[in-house]
Amino acid sequence: MERFSIVEANLGDFDAVKSLMLTALQTDPTAFSYAYSDYANNSNMWWQNYLYGYLTQANAKLYVAQFDSKVVGMVGILLDSKNRRKHVGSIVWFYVSPDYRKYGLGQNLLKTVIDYAYSLKTIKKLTLLVNATQNKALGLYKGLGFEIVGTLKSELLVNGEYIDEYVMEKFLWIKRLELG
């Protein structure tokens, strides 16, 4: 029987998360706003500074999906500290390794980050950007209540092709009203 779990990433996950991020950028180049080359040559010090916020700060979280102890998926959330945007959380770095897709890990990762945002009571809306060609991701997001609210035309240039990105959002206060 396969053993999957979703846990909050910590400093001990540094190497696995760094490796998964680079793998994601390299193997699924249309899924992210940044290219593999933007991250591949950064020093370990740069990576430590970059990931430190996700792994230790209150304004960001990173959750990982594990098969046994191997990190095979991730999703992050950034919480804005500016007064006018303290009610917004941004979902970032959503990725599941291809060999571990179709097990429901993506949906469970997203539900975990949605539940975390909901538990904060201050987050009213979640936002994310998704490449317009990522049909499976779009279906997953829509199935979890995200709606497309805008299109960033020709936002990304990937392998010589301009690609649109959708802005999606989910209001958490609707869930609160439904629960009474």
Side-chain angles (χ1 to χ4, degrees), residues 4-167:
F4 292 106
S5 61
I6 308 282
V7 298
E8 185 178 333
N10 61 53
L11 290 173
D13 297 314
F14 172 81
D15 289 328
V17 169
K18 174 186 170 186
S19 177
L20 188 63
M21 285 181 170
L22 287 171
T23 298
L25 292 169
Q26 190 170 37
T27 61
D28 205 354
T30 61
F32 297 94
S33 298
Y34 295 99
Y36 174 77
S37 60
D38 294 330
Y39 285 78
N41 297 317
N42 291 333
S43 69
N44 229 27
M45 179 67 80
W46 182 90
W47 277 100
Q48 287 172 356
N49 289 333
Y50 181 73
L51 290 177
Y52 184 81
Y54 286 105
L55 302 178
T56 65
Q57 301 296 313
N59 67 339
K61 292 271 186 237
L62 187 72
Y63 292 92
V64 293
Q66 298 176 331
F67 173 73
D68 291 333
S69 60
K70 180 181 179 182
V71 174
V72 298
M74 65 188 163
V75 66
I77 183 169
L78 300 175
L79 307 173
D80 205 317
S81 61
K82 295 175 185 65
N83 285 331
R84 292 183 178 183
R85 291 188 39 90
K86 283 186 178 183
H87 65 287
V88 179
S90 299
I91 293 179
V92 296
W93 281 112
F94 176 54
Y95 180 76
V96 175
S97 296
D99 291 344
Y100 296 92
R101 295 177 186 169
K102 300 201 187 255
Y103 292 102
L105 291 176
Q107 185 174 33
N108 286 329
L109 279 164
L110 287 168
K111 283 181 177 180
T112 298
V113 83
I114 291 166
D115 288 346
Y116 168 71
Y118 182 76
S119 76
L120 294 176
K121 306 291 187 216
T122 57
I123 302 300
K124 310 296 185 215
K125 179 173 81 166
L126 293 173
T127 64
L128 60 86
L129 297 174
V130 62
N131 174 328
T133 65
Q134 296 286 314
N135 293 325
K136 288 183 181 180
L138 282 164
L140 179 58
Y141 297 141
K142 287 178 180 179
L144 290 171
F146 285 85
E147 296 179 0
I148 296 173
V149 296
T151 303
L152 303 171
K153 297 287 189 181
S154 299
E155 184 70 7
L156 304 174
L157 178 59
V158 180
N159 299 324
E161 179 185 354
Y162 289 98
I163 299 172
D164 295 348
E165 264 190 323
Y166 293 136
V167 179

